[in-house]
Amino acid sequence: MKLISAIVKPFKLDEVREALAAIGIQGMTVTDVRGFGRQKGHTELYRGAEYVVDFLPKIKIEVAVADELLEQVIEAIGKSASTGKIGDGKIFVVDLEQAVRIRTGETGVDAL
């Protein structure tokens, strides 16, 4: 099993959710986060004063998947979250040792 964490632009959330649902992914966790990468934020003008916005608003999507779905999920997220511009985000994949469904006690892939 793998845990996929994707950091994407907020307005891309619905497109990513629909793309994942289309390949059969039933659940995900979504968190509002802030951060920066190579773009290192930007400057904004507010009431005549310029200030630096270091941390930009992003959405973090976490999905636990069986190994055989990994490439499909990465492709779906990549295509649906891409705008072709800087700040589109990143996808991280880590091994998932165990998953347990609390209600039934199911473990492993059955718990997903």
Side-chain angles (χ1 to χ4, degrees), residues 32-68:
D32 288 315
V33 295
R34 296 186 314 148
F36 67 90
R38 289 185 182 165
Q39 68 208 48
K40 295 185 178 64
H42 64 278
T43 59
E44 288 188 4
L45 199 60
Y46 179 71
R47 294 189 178 186
E50 188 175 283
Y51 65 99
V52 177
V53 178
D54 290 330
F55 296 99
L56 301 174
K58 302 284 183 179
I59 296 290
K60 181 178 182 181
I61 301 167
E62 294 177 301
V63 183
V65 299
D67 290 335
E68 53 270 10

PDB file of all heavy atoms in Angstrom, residues 32-68:
ATOM      1  N   ASP A  32      -6.454  22.314   4.235  1.00  0.00           N
ATOM      2  CA  ASP A  32      -5.980  23.617   3.774  1.00  0.00           C
ATOM      3  C   ASP A  32      -4.596  23.833   4.364  1.00  0.00           C
ATOM      4  O   ASP A  32      -4.421  23.738   5.578  1.00  0.00           O
ATOM      5  CB  ASP A  32      -6.903  24.742   4.245  1.00  0.00           C
ATOM      6  CG  ASP A  32      -8.229  24.742   3.515  1.00  0.00           C
ATOM      7  OD1 ASP A  32      -8.225  24.595   2.283  1.00  0.00           O
ATOM      8  OD2 ASP A  32      -9.270  24.885   4.180  1.00  0.00           O
ATOM      9  N   VAL A  33      -3.615  24.105   3.508  1.00  0.00           N
ATOM     10  CA  VAL A  33      -2.248  24.330   3.961  1.00  0.00           C
ATOM     11  C   VAL A  33      -1.704  25.591   3.298  1.00  0.00           C
ATOM     12  O   VAL A  33      -2.309  26.130   2.373  1.00  0.00           O
ATOM     13  CB  VAL A  33      -1.335  23.118   3.649  1.00  0.00           C
ATOM     14  CG1 VAL A  33      -1.773  21.891   4.422  1.00  0.00           C
ATOM     15  CG2 VAL A  33      -1.295  22.828   2.165  1.00  0.00           C
ATOM     16  N   ARG A  34      -0.559  26.052   3.778  1.00  0.00           N
ATOM     17  CA  ARG A  34       0.119  27.182   3.163  1.00  0.00           C
ATOM     18  C   ARG A  34       1.587  26.817   3.020  1.00  0.00           C
ATOM     19  O   ARG A  34       2.152  26.127   3.867  1.00  0.00           O
ATOM     20  CB  ARG A  34      -0.021  28.444   4.015  1.00  0.00           C
ATOM     21  CG  ARG A  34      -1.450  28.903   4.117  1.00  0.00           C
ATOM     22  CD  ARG A  34      -1.633  30.223   4.819  1.00  0.00           C
ATOM     23  NE  ARG A  34      -0.864  30.318   6.046  1.00  0.00           N
ATOM     24  CZ  ARG A  34      -0.360  31.443   6.512  1.00  0.00           C
ATOM     25  NH1 ARG A  34      -0.517  32.563   5.846  1.00  0.00           N
ATOM     26  NH2 ARG A  34       0.300  31.476   7.640  1.00  0.00           N
ATOM     27  N   GLY A  35       2.207  27.292   1.947  1.00  0.00           N
ATOM     28  CA  GLY A  35       3.616  27.004   1.757  1.00  0.00           C
ATOM     29  C   GLY A  35       4.154  27.673   0.514  1.00  0.00           C
ATOM     30  O   GLY A  35       3.472  28.447  -0.149  1.00  0.00           O
ATOM     31  N   PHE A  36       5.411  27.353   0.211  1.00  0.00           N
ATOM     32  CA  PHE A  36       6.016  27.860  -1.006  1.00  0.00           C
ATOM     33  C   PHE A  36       7.082  26.897  -1.468  1.00  0.00           C
ATOM     34  O   PHE A  36       7.607  26.102  -0.697  1.00  0.00           O
ATOM     35  CB  PHE A  36       6.609  29.267  -0.811  1.00  0.00           C
ATOM     36  CG  PHE A  36       7.791  29.311   0.119  1.00  0.00           C
ATOM     37  CD1 PHE A  36       9.077  29.149  -0.374  1.00  0.00           C
ATOM     38  CD2 PHE A  36       7.620  29.517   1.468  1.00  0.00           C
ATOM     39  CE1 PHE A  36      10.175  29.190   0.472  1.00  0.00           C
ATOM     40  CE2 PHE A  36       8.701  29.561   2.327  1.00  0.00           C
ATOM     41  CZ  PHE A  36       9.976  29.395   1.826  1.00  0.00           C
ATOM     42  N   GLY A  37       7.376  26.973  -2.745  1.00  0.00           N
ATOM     43  CA  GLY A  37       8.431  26.172  -3.341  1.00  0.00           C
ATOM     44  C   GLY A  37       9.403  27.098  -4.031  1.00  0.00           C
ATOM     45  O   GLY A  37       9.852  28.087  -3.454  1.00  0.00           O
ATOM     46  N   ARG A  38       9.666  26.818  -5.283  1.00  0.00           N
ATOM     47  CA  ARG A  38      10.598  27.651  -6.034  1.00  0.00           C
ATOM     48  C   ARG A  38      10.104  29.075  -6.222  1.00  0.00           C
ATOM     49  O   ARG A  38      10.886  29.994  -6.375  1.00  0.00           O
ATOM     50  CB  ARG A  38      10.845  27.030  -7.416  1.00  0.00           C
ATOM     51  CG  ARG A  38      11.656  25.777  -7.339  1.00  0.00           C
ATOM     52  CD  ARG A  38      11.974  25.277  -8.721  1.00  0.00           C
ATOM     53  NE  ARG A  38      12.716  24.030  -8.624  1.00  0.00           N
ATOM     54  CZ  ARG A  38      12.896  23.209  -9.619  1.00  0.00           C
ATOM     55  NH1 ARG A  38      12.393  23.493 -10.803  1.00  0.00           N
ATOM     56  NH2 ARG A  38      13.588  22.105  -9.454  1.00  0.00           N
ATOM     57  N   GLN A  39       8.779  29.258  -6.217  1.00  0.00           N
ATOM     58  CA  GLN A  39       8.237  30.596  -6.461  1.00  0.00           C
ATOM     59  C   GLN A  39       8.523  31.547  -5.300  1.00  0.00           C
ATOM     60  O   GLN A  39       8.507  32.750  -5.460  1.00  0.00           O
ATOM     61  CB  GLN A  39       6.737  30.518  -6.723  1.00  0.00           C
ATOM     62  CG  GLN A  39       5.950  30.103  -5.494  1.00  0.00           C
ATOM     63  CD  GLN A  39       4.678  29.390  -5.822  1.00  0.00           C
ATOM     64  OE1 GLN A  39       4.668  28.482  -6.626  1.00  0.00           O
ATOM     65  NE2 GLN A  39       3.611  29.805  -5.196  1.00  0.00           N
ATOM     66  N   LYS A  40       8.751  31.014  -4.103  1.00  0.00           N
ATOM     67  CA  LYS A  40       9.107  31.786  -2.916  1.00  0.00           C
ATOM     68  C   LYS A  40       8.133  32.920  -2.613  1.00  0.00           C
ATOM     69  O   LYS A  40       8.522  33.999  -2.196  1.00  0.00           O
ATOM     70  CB  LYS A  40      10.526  32.328  -3.043  1.00  0.00           C
ATOM     71  CG  LYS A  40      11.556  31.216  -3.082  1.00  0.00           C
ATOM     72  CD  LYS A  40      12.951  31.772  -3.097  1.00  0.00           C
ATOM     73  CE  LYS A  40      13.986  30.683  -3.087  1.00  0.00           C
ATOM     74  NZ  LYS A  40      14.011  29.819  -4.215  1.00  0.00           N
ATOM     75  N   GLY A  41       6.859  32.695  -2.848  1.00  0.00           N
ATOM     76  CA  GLY A  41       5.849  33.695  -2.536  1.00  0.00           C
ATOM     77  C   GLY A  41       5.807  34.800  -3.578  1.00  0.00           C
ATOM     78  O   GLY A  41       6.358  34.683  -4.662  1.00  0.00           O
ATOM     79  N   HIS A  42       5.139  35.893  -3.231  1.00  0.00           N
ATOM     80  CA  HIS A  42       5.040  37.031  -4.133  1.00  0.00           C
ATOM     81  C   HIS A  42       4.729  38.290  -3.326  1.00  0.00           C
ATOM     82  O   HIS A  42       4.444  38.217  -2.130  1.00  0.00           O
ATOM     83  CB  HIS A  42       3.969  36.786  -5.201  1.00  0.00           C
ATOM     84  CG  HIS A  42       2.593  36.660  -4.646  1.00  0.00           C
ATOM     85  ND1 HIS A  42       2.108  35.478  -4.113  1.00  0.00           N
ATOM     86  CD2 HIS A  42       1.594  37.551  -4.517  1.00  0.00           C
ATOM     87  CE1 HIS A  42       0.871  35.660  -3.686  1.00  0.00           C
ATOM     88  NE2 HIS A  42       0.525  36.917  -3.915  1.00  0.00           N
ATOM     89  N   THR A  43       4.793  39.439  -3.976  1.00  0.00           N
ATOM     90  CA  THR A  43       4.469  40.683  -3.288  1.00  0.00           C
ATOM     91  C   THR A  43       3.065  41.133  -3.693  1.00  0.00           C
ATOM     92  O   THR A  43       2.621  40.877  -4.808  1.00  0.00           O
ATOM     93  CB  THR A  43       5.479  41.797  -3.628  1.00  0.00           C
ATOM     94  OG1 THR A  43       5.469  42.001  -5.034  1.00  0.00           O
ATOM     95  CG2 THR A  43       6.866  41.442  -3.162  1.00  0.00           C
ATOM     96  N   GLU A  44       2.368  41.778  -2.779  1.00  0.00           N
ATOM     97  CA  GLU A  44       1.038  42.314  -3.046  1.00  0.00           C
ATOM     98  C   GLU A  44       0.979  43.750  -2.556  1.00  0.00           C
ATOM     99  O   GLU A  44       1.736  44.151  -1.674  1.00  0.00           O
ATOM    100  CB  GLU A  44      -0.037  41.482  -2.331  1.00  0.00           C
ATOM    101  CG  GLU A  44      -0.260  40.129  -2.952  1.00  0.00           C
ATOM    102  CD  GLU A  44      -1.455  39.407  -2.355  1.00  0.00           C
ATOM    103  OE1 GLU A  44      -2.169  39.986  -1.511  1.00  0.00           O
ATOM    104  OE2 GLU A  44      -1.669  38.252  -2.746  1.00  0.00           O
ATOM    105  N   LEU A  45       0.060  44.499  -3.130  1.00  0.00           N
ATOM    106  CA  LEU A  45      -0.147  45.885  -2.748  1.00  0.00           C
ATOM    107  C   LEU A  45      -1.477  45.977  -2.003  1.00  0.00           C
ATOM    108  O   LEU A  45      -2.501  45.522  -2.499  1.00  0.00           O
ATOM    109  CB  LEU A  45      -0.185  46.752  -4.016  1.00  0.00           C
ATOM    110  CG  LEU A  45       0.047  48.234  -3.844  1.00  0.00           C
ATOM    111  CD1 LEU A  45       1.419  48.495  -3.239  1.00  0.00           C
ATOM    112  CD2 LEU A  45      -0.047  48.927  -5.191  1.00  0.00           C
ATOM    113  N   TYR A  46      -1.444  46.496  -0.784  1.00  0.00           N
ATOM    114  CA  TYR A  46      -2.655  46.638   0.009  1.00  0.00           C
ATOM    115  C   TYR A  46      -2.683  48.042   0.607  1.00  0.00           C
ATOM    116  O   TYR A  46      -1.796  48.416   1.369  1.00  0.00           O
ATOM    117  CB  TYR A  46      -2.695  45.583   1.124  1.00  0.00           C
ATOM    118  CG  TYR A  46      -3.903  45.674   2.005  1.00  0.00           C
ATOM    119  CD1 TYR A  46      -5.159  45.321   1.536  1.00  0.00           C
ATOM    120  CD2 TYR A  46      -3.796  46.142   3.317  1.00  0.00           C
ATOM    121  CE1 TYR A  46      -6.274  45.416   2.343  1.00  0.00           C
ATOM    122  CE2 TYR A  46      -4.901  46.241   4.134  1.00  0.00           C
ATOM    123  CZ  TYR A  46      -6.137  45.873   3.634  1.00  0.00           C
ATOM    124  OH  TYR A  46      -7.252  45.977   4.438  1.00  0.00           O
ATOM    125  N   ARG A  47      -3.687  48.834   0.232  1.00  0.00           N
ATOM    126  CA  ARG A  47      -3.849  50.208   0.704  1.00  0.00           C
ATOM    127  C   ARG A  47      -2.565  51.018   0.536  1.00  0.00           C
ATOM    128  O   ARG A  47      -2.136  51.736   1.432  1.00  0.00           O
ATOM    129  CB  ARG A  47      -4.311  50.233   2.145  1.00  0.00           C
ATOM    130  CG  ARG A  47      -5.702  49.676   2.321  1.00  0.00           C
ATOM    131  CD  ARG A  47      -6.216  49.918   3.705  1.00  0.00           C
ATOM    132  NE  ARG A  47      -7.570  49.404   3.835  1.00  0.00           N
ATOM    133  CZ  ARG A  47      -8.324  49.564   4.880  1.00  0.00           C
ATOM    134  NH1 ARG A  47      -7.880  50.233   5.931  1.00  0.00           N
ATOM    135  NH2 ARG A  47      -9.531  49.073   4.920  1.00  0.00           N
ATOM    136  N   GLY A  48      -1.946  50.845  -0.609  1.00  0.00           N
ATOM    137  CA  GLY A  48      -0.761  51.613  -0.941  1.00  0.00           C
ATOM    138  C   GLY A  48       0.534  51.082  -0.367  1.00  0.00           C
ATOM    139  O   GLY A  48       1.604  51.586  -0.678  1.00  0.00           O
ATOM    140  N   ALA A  49       0.465  50.059   0.467  1.00  0.00           N
ATOM    141  CA  ALA A  49       1.677  49.480   1.055  1.00  0.00           C
ATOM    142  C   ALA A  49       1.961  48.131   0.406  1.00  0.00           C
ATOM    143  O   ALA A  49       1.051  47.325   0.208  1.00  0.00           O
ATOM    144  CB  ALA A  49       1.508  49.312   2.557  1.00  0.00           C
ATOM    145  N   GLU A  50       3.209  47.928   0.066  1.00  0.00           N
ATOM    146  CA  GLU A  50       3.598  46.650  -0.545  1.00  0.00           C
ATOM    147  C   GLU A  50       4.075  45.705   0.554  1.00  0.00           C
ATOM    148  O   GLU A  50       4.807  46.112   1.459  1.00  0.00           O
ATOM    149  CB  GLU A  50       4.738  46.904  -1.546  1.00  0.00           C
ATOM    150  CG  GLU A  50       5.086  45.677  -2.364  1.00  0.00           C
ATOM    151  CD  GLU A  50       6.124  45.982  -3.426  1.00  0.00           C
ATOM    152  OE1 GLU A  50       5.763  46.579  -4.457  1.00  0.00           O
ATOM    153  OE2 GLU A  50       7.287  45.634  -3.201  1.00  0.00           O
ATOM    154  N   TYR A  51       3.617  44.479   0.501  1.00  0.00           N
ATOM    155  CA  TYR A  51       4.092  43.496   1.468  1.00  0.00           C
ATOM    156  C   TYR A  51       4.301  42.162   0.776  1.00  0.00           C
ATOM    157  O   TYR A  51       3.759  41.890  -0.279  1.00  0.00           O
ATOM    158  CB  TYR A  51       3.141  43.369   2.663  1.00  0.00           C
ATOM    159  CG  TYR A  51       1.775  42.821   2.336  1.00  0.00           C
ATOM    160  CD1 TYR A  51       1.483  41.484   2.569  1.00  0.00           C
ATOM    161  CD2 TYR A  51       0.778  43.638   1.811  1.00  0.00           C
ATOM    162  CE1 TYR A  51       0.226  40.974   2.269  1.00  0.00           C
ATOM    163  CE2 TYR A  51      -0.471  43.134   1.513  1.00  0.00           C
ATOM    164  CZ  TYR A  51      -0.745  41.807   1.746  1.00  0.00           C
ATOM    165  OH  TYR A  51      -1.981  41.304   1.440  1.00  0.00           O
ATOM    166  N   VAL A  52       5.128  41.336   1.403  1.00  0.00           N
ATOM    167  CA  VAL A  52       5.506  40.041   0.820  1.00  0.00           C
ATOM    168  C   VAL A  52       4.618  38.949   1.392  1.00  0.00           C
ATOM    169  O   VAL A  52       4.432  38.861   2.610  1.00  0.00           O
ATOM    170  CB  VAL A  52       6.990  39.726   1.119  1.00  0.00           C
ATOM    171  CG1 VAL A  52       7.366  38.350   0.592  1.00  0.00           C
ATOM    172  CG2 VAL A  52       7.889  40.793   0.521  1.00  0.00           C
ATOM    173  N   VAL A  53       4.062  38.137   0.517  1.00  0.00           N
ATOM    174  CA  VAL A  53       3.290  36.958   0.924  1.00  0.00           C
ATOM    175  C   VAL A  53       4.220  35.766   0.754  1.00  0.00           C
ATOM    176  O   VAL A  53       4.472  35.318  -0.363  1.00  0.00           O
ATOM    177  CB  VAL A  53       2.020  36.802   0.058  1.00  0.00           C
ATOM    178  CG1 VAL A  53       1.266  35.548   0.476  1.00  0.00           C
ATOM    179  CG2 VAL A  53       1.135  38.022   0.175  1.00  0.00           C
ATOM    180  N   ASP A  54       4.784  35.279   1.861  1.00  0.00           N
ATOM    181  CA  ASP A  54       5.745  34.174   1.805  1.00  0.00           C
ATOM    182  C   ASP A  54       5.069  32.830   1.605  1.00  0.00           C
ATOM    183  O   ASP A  54       5.553  31.979   0.882  1.00  0.00           O
ATOM    184  CB  ASP A  54       6.570  34.110   3.092  1.00  0.00           C
ATOM    185  CG  ASP A  54       7.529  35.275   3.213  1.00  0.00           C
ATOM    186  OD1 ASP A  54       7.979  35.774   2.172  1.00  0.00           O
ATOM    187  OD2 ASP A  54       7.819  35.689   4.346  1.00  0.00           O
ATOM    188  N   PHE A  55       3.956  32.630   2.283  1.00  0.00           N
ATOM    189  CA  PHE A  55       3.288  31.338   2.247  1.00  0.00           C
ATOM    190  C   PHE A  55       1.987  31.469   1.462  1.00  0.00           C
ATOM    191  O   PHE A  55       1.090  32.203   1.858  1.00  0.00           O
ATOM    192  CB  PHE A  55       3.008  30.842   3.666  1.00  0.00           C
ATOM    193  CG  PHE A  55       4.264  30.579   4.431  1.00  0.00           C
ATOM    194  CD1 PHE A  55       4.759  31.511   5.324  1.00  0.00           C
ATOM    195  CD2 PHE A  55       4.970  29.400   4.245  1.00  0.00           C
ATOM    196  CE1 PHE A  55       5.926  31.282   6.027  1.00  0.00           C
ATOM    197  CE2 PHE A  55       6.137  29.158   4.941  1.00  0.00           C
ATOM    198  CZ  PHE A  55       6.623  30.095   5.827  1.00  0.00           C
ATOM    199  N   LEU A  56       1.898  30.719   0.381  1.00  0.00           N
ATOM    200  CA  LEU A  56       0.728  30.780  -0.487  1.00  0.00           C
ATOM    201  C   LEU A  56      -0.278  29.706  -0.093  1.00  0.00           C
ATOM    202  O   LEU A  56       0.107  28.607   0.333  1.00  0.00           O
ATOM    203  CB  LEU A  56       1.155  30.580  -1.938  1.00  0.00           C
ATOM    204  CG  LEU A  56       2.168  31.609  -2.452  1.00  0.00           C
ATOM    205  CD1 LEU A  56       2.637  31.247  -3.845  1.00  0.00           C
ATOM    206  CD2 LEU A  56       1.554  32.993  -2.442  1.00  0.00           C
ATOM    207  N   PRO A  57      -1.572  29.958  -0.245  1.00  0.00           N
ATOM    208  CA  PRO A  57      -2.580  28.955   0.101  1.00  0.00           C
ATOM    209  C   PRO A  57      -2.538  27.788  -0.882  1.00  0.00           C
ATOM    210  O   PRO A  57      -2.452  27.977  -2.096  1.00  0.00           O
ATOM    211  CB  PRO A  57      -3.902  29.713   0.005  1.00  0.00           C
ATOM    212  CG  PRO A  57      -3.623  30.888  -0.858  1.00  0.00           C
ATOM    213  CD  PRO A  57      -2.169  31.216  -0.702  1.00  0.00           C
ATOM    214  N   LYS A  58      -2.563  26.585  -0.346  1.00  0.00           N
ATOM    215  CA  LYS A  58      -2.570  25.356  -1.141  1.00  0.00           C
ATOM    216  C   LYS A  58      -3.545  24.373  -0.500  1.00  0.00           C
ATOM    217  O   LYS A  58      -4.031  24.584   0.609  1.00  0.00           O
ATOM    218  CB  LYS A  58      -1.173  24.706  -1.181  1.00  0.00           C
ATOM    219  CG  LYS A  58      -0.070  25.580  -1.737  1.00  0.00           C
ATOM    220  CD  LYS A  58      -0.142  25.694  -3.228  1.00  0.00           C
ATOM    221  CE  LYS A  58       1.033  26.517  -3.737  1.00  0.00           C
ATOM    222  NZ  LYS A  58       1.037  26.647  -5.159  1.00  0.00           N
ATOM    223  N   ILE A  59      -3.804  23.286  -1.190  1.00  0.00           N
ATOM    224  CA  ILE A  59      -4.632  22.196  -0.672  1.00  0.00           C
ATOM    225  C   ILE A  59      -3.769  20.940  -0.647  1.00  0.00           C
ATOM    226  O   ILE A  59      -3.075  20.637  -1.614  1.00  0.00           O
ATOM    227  CB  ILE A  59      -5.860  21.949  -1.582  1.00  0.00           C
ATOM    228  CG1 ILE A  59      -6.780  23.157  -1.594  1.00  0.00           C
ATOM    229  CG2 ILE A  59      -6.613  20.686  -1.167  1.00  0.00           C
ATOM    230  CD1 ILE A  59      -7.517  23.400  -0.301  1.00  0.00           C
ATOM    231  N   LYS A  60      -3.811  20.219   0.469  1.00  0.00           N
ATOM    232  CA  LYS A  60      -3.101  18.940   0.578  1.00  0.00           C
ATOM    233  C   LYS A  60      -4.131  17.824   0.526  1.00  0.00           C
ATOM    234  O   LYS A  60      -5.062  17.792   1.333  1.00  0.00           O
ATOM    235  CB  LYS A  60      -2.313  18.868   1.887  1.00  0.00           C
ATOM    236  CG  LYS A  60      -1.536  17.579   2.046  1.00  0.00           C
ATOM    237  CD  LYS A  60      -0.749  17.614   3.340  1.00  0.00           C
ATOM    238  CE  LYS A  60       0.083  16.373   3.513  1.00  0.00           C
ATOM    239  NZ  LYS A  60       0.825  16.399   4.790  1.00  0.00           N
ATOM    240  N   ILE A  61      -3.961  16.942  -0.455  1.00  0.00           N
ATOM    241  CA  ILE A  61      -4.862  15.798  -0.627  1.00  0.00           C
ATOM    242  C   ILE A  61      -4.083  14.543  -0.272  1.00  0.00           C
ATOM    243  O   ILE A  61      -2.991  14.321  -0.800  1.00  0.00           O
ATOM    244  CB  ILE A  61      -5.356  15.706  -2.083  1.00  0.00           C
ATOM    245  CG1 ILE A  61      -6.082  16.993  -2.475  1.00  0.00           C
ATOM    246  CG2 ILE A  61      -6.241  14.475  -2.283  1.00  0.00           C
ATOM    247  CD1 ILE A  61      -6.329  17.118  -3.966  1.00  0.00           C
ATOM    248  N   GLU A  62      -4.627  13.737   0.626  1.00  0.00           N
ATOM    249  CA  GLU A  62      -3.980  12.482   1.001  1.00  0.00           C
ATOM    250  C   GLU A  62      -4.890  11.327   0.620  1.00  0.00           C
ATOM    251  O   GLU A  62      -6.083  11.341   0.930  1.00  0.00           O
ATOM    252  CB  GLU A  62      -3.685  12.461   2.496  1.00  0.00           C
ATOM    253  CG  GLU A  62      -2.644  13.494   2.893  1.00  0.00           C
ATOM    254  CD  GLU A  62      -2.400  13.524   4.389  1.00  0.00           C
ATOM    255  OE1 GLU A  62      -3.367  13.762   5.133  1.00  0.00           O
ATOM    256  OE2 GLU A  62      -1.247  13.303   4.781  1.00  0.00           O
ATOM    257  N   VAL A  63      -4.293  10.335  -0.059  1.00  0.00           N
ATOM    258  CA  VAL A  63      -5.043   9.180  -0.527  1.00  0.00           C
ATOM    259  C   VAL A  63      -4.223   7.928  -0.250  1.00  0.00           C
ATOM    260  O   VAL A  63      -3.045   7.868  -0.626  1.00  0.00           O
ATOM    261  CB  VAL A  63      -5.325   9.267  -2.045  1.00  0.00           C
ATOM    262  CG1 VAL A  63      -6.158   8.095  -2.504  1.00  0.00           C
ATOM    263  CG2 VAL A  63      -5.992  10.570  -2.399  1.00  0.00           C
ATOM    264  N   ALA A  64      -4.824   6.939   0.392  1.00  0.00           N
ATOM    265  CA  ALA A  64      -4.176   5.644   0.595  1.00  0.00           C
ATOM    266  C   ALA A  64      -4.678   4.701  -0.496  1.00  0.00           C
ATOM    267  O   ALA A  64      -5.887   4.594  -0.712  1.00  0.00           O
ATOM    268  CB  ALA A  64      -4.511   5.097   1.974  1.00  0.00           C
ATOM    269  N   VAL A  65      -3.744   4.058  -1.201  1.00  0.00           N
ATOM    270  CA  VAL A  65      -4.123   3.192  -2.327  1.00  0.00           C
ATOM    271  C   VAL A  65      -3.349   1.883  -2.296  1.00  0.00           C
ATOM    272  O   VAL A  65      -2.258   1.798  -1.728  1.00  0.00           O
ATOM    273  CB  VAL A  65      -3.888   3.886  -3.691  1.00  0.00           C
ATOM    274  CG1 VAL A  65      -4.713   5.150  -3.809  1.00  0.00           C
ATOM    275  CG2 VAL A  65      -2.430   4.182  -3.927  1.00  0.00           C
ATOM    276  N   ALA A  66      -3.915   0.885  -2.952  1.00  0.00           N
ATOM    277  CA  ALA A  66      -3.208  -0.376  -3.165  1.00  0.00           C
ATOM    278  C   ALA A  66      -2.096  -0.129  -4.183  1.00  0.00           C
ATOM    279  O   ALA A  66      -2.199   0.758  -5.032  1.00  0.00           O
ATOM    280  CB  ALA A  66      -4.176  -1.431  -3.676  1.00  0.00           C
ATOM    281  N   ASP A  67      -1.032  -0.900  -4.098  1.00  0.00           N
ATOM    282  CA  ASP A  67       0.134  -0.710  -4.973  1.00  0.00           C
ATOM    283  C   ASP A  67      -0.232  -0.692  -6.451  1.00  0.00           C
ATOM    284  O   ASP A  67       0.331   0.078  -7.225  1.00  0.00           O
ATOM    285  CB  ASP A  67       1.175  -1.804  -4.715  1.00  0.00           C
ATOM    286  CG  ASP A  67       1.843  -1.651  -3.355  1.00  0.00           C
ATOM    287  OD1 ASP A  67       1.887  -0.520  -2.836  1.00  0.00           O
ATOM    288  OD2 ASP A  67       2.325  -2.660  -2.818  1.00  0.00           O
ATOM    289  N   GLU A  68      -1.188  -1.526  -6.860  1.00  0.00           N
ATOM    290  CA  GLU A  68      -1.521  -1.625  -8.283  1.00  0.00           C
ATOM    291  C   GLU A  68      -2.237  -0.386  -8.836  1.00  0.00           C
ATOM    292  O   GLU A  68      -2.297  -0.188 -10.039  1.00  0.00           O
ATOM    293  CB  GLU A  68      -2.333  -2.889  -8.593  1.00  0.00           C
ATOM    294  CG  GLU A  68      -3.564  -3.076  -7.760  1.00  0.00           C
ATOM    295  CD  GLU A  68      -3.333  -3.858  -6.475  1.00  0.00           C
ATOM    296  OE1 GLU A  68      -2.165  -4.122  -6.109  1.00  0.00           O
ATOM    297  OE2 GLU A  68      -4.335  -4.199  -5.833  1.00  0.00           O
TER     298      GLU A  68
END
